[in-house]
Amino acid sequence: MRISPAELRNRLRTCYSATEAAAMARIICCEMLGQRATDFVLNEPLETDGTQARLLEDAVGRLLRFEPMQYIQGKARFLGRDFHVEPGVLIPRPETEELVERMLREIPANARIADIGTGSGCIAITLALEVPGAQVEAWDISETALRIARQNAKALQAEVDFVHRDALTWPPREKGTLDVIVSNPPYVTEAERTAMEPNVLLHEPEGALFVPNEDPLRFYRCIGLLGREMLAPGGRLYFEINRAYGKETADLLRRQGYTNVQTDKDLSGNDRFVTATQPGQIIGH
């Protein structure tokens, strides 16, 4: 089979913008089929054998059905590391990288950390690898997510204790056992479905995305209550949030008794993160 990068881009243009099609064509040609970057730029045709031709056609077909490129490649980049992803687990987002970068500036060594709703494990594994002496546990209700997260931890040689647990129903049994809780829980309301891209809506797990219109803060409320029991004095809570509910999320945490509640924007200027402190002595002091 013989195909040029331009021909590949034109096939993808039936469903994607010129910029998106060009990026996808580069990944297929250079990363998946091994074409040199200079040959791709010069639009040199690819000569593919039977195996490569099937790989190309499979990738194009899946992209034209709006399957995310990360699922097709089986990996997503997160703060310099490759994490395995597949249908059934949420693809890590750049906004979550921003959250973790902030945490890495603030979390002290030897912190006891829980990542609630771990998904691929990208938050928990990164913290385990980057925070000296950290003790990290990660919860998820999805056995598929936990399988993938454990696979990522093994591949990246990270020590994380993965636990099958539902944050909405699990009662805390021990008080003050954590210094940090972080969560990027489901926060997209059902009403926001119509504004979502088809690659997300058709392929990423609904349970990791959506909350009812009538209770958009359900996870923040439950995790906030868990934090009031499980965080040590001065412990920190880190949330990624729906940009439409920054004030409401912050007000909720203040009502629950947290101090130093702060809402911060992502690089696009949207309210995206809320942090709060368990009353008491600051961790690390």
Side-chain angles (χ1 to χ4, degrees), residues 90 168 185-197 200-202 204-213 215-216 218-219 242:
L90 198 68
L168 296 178
Y187 60 64
V188 181
T189 63
E190 292 288 342
E192 293 173 302
R193 278 180 181 268
T194 56
M196 297 182 71
E197 296 293 331
V200 177
L201 195 58
L202 296 176
E204 295 199 62
E206 290 197 356
L209 290 167
F210 293 106
V211 288
N213 294 331
D215 192 12
R218 64 189 307 184
F219 284 95
N242 186 323

Side-chain angles (χ1 to χ4, degrees), residues 129-148:
L129 293 171
E130 298 292 339
V131 178
Q135 302 172 49
V136 183
E137 62 184 70
W139 307 4
D140 210 290
I141 194 173
S142 166
E143 290 287 8
T144 298
L146 290 170
R147 172 181 58 79
I148 294 167

Side-chain angles (χ1 to χ4, degrees), residues 12-24:
L12 295 170
R13 280 294 306 277
T14 60
C15 292
Y16 298 95
S17 70
T19 301
E20 291 171 319
M24 292 171 179

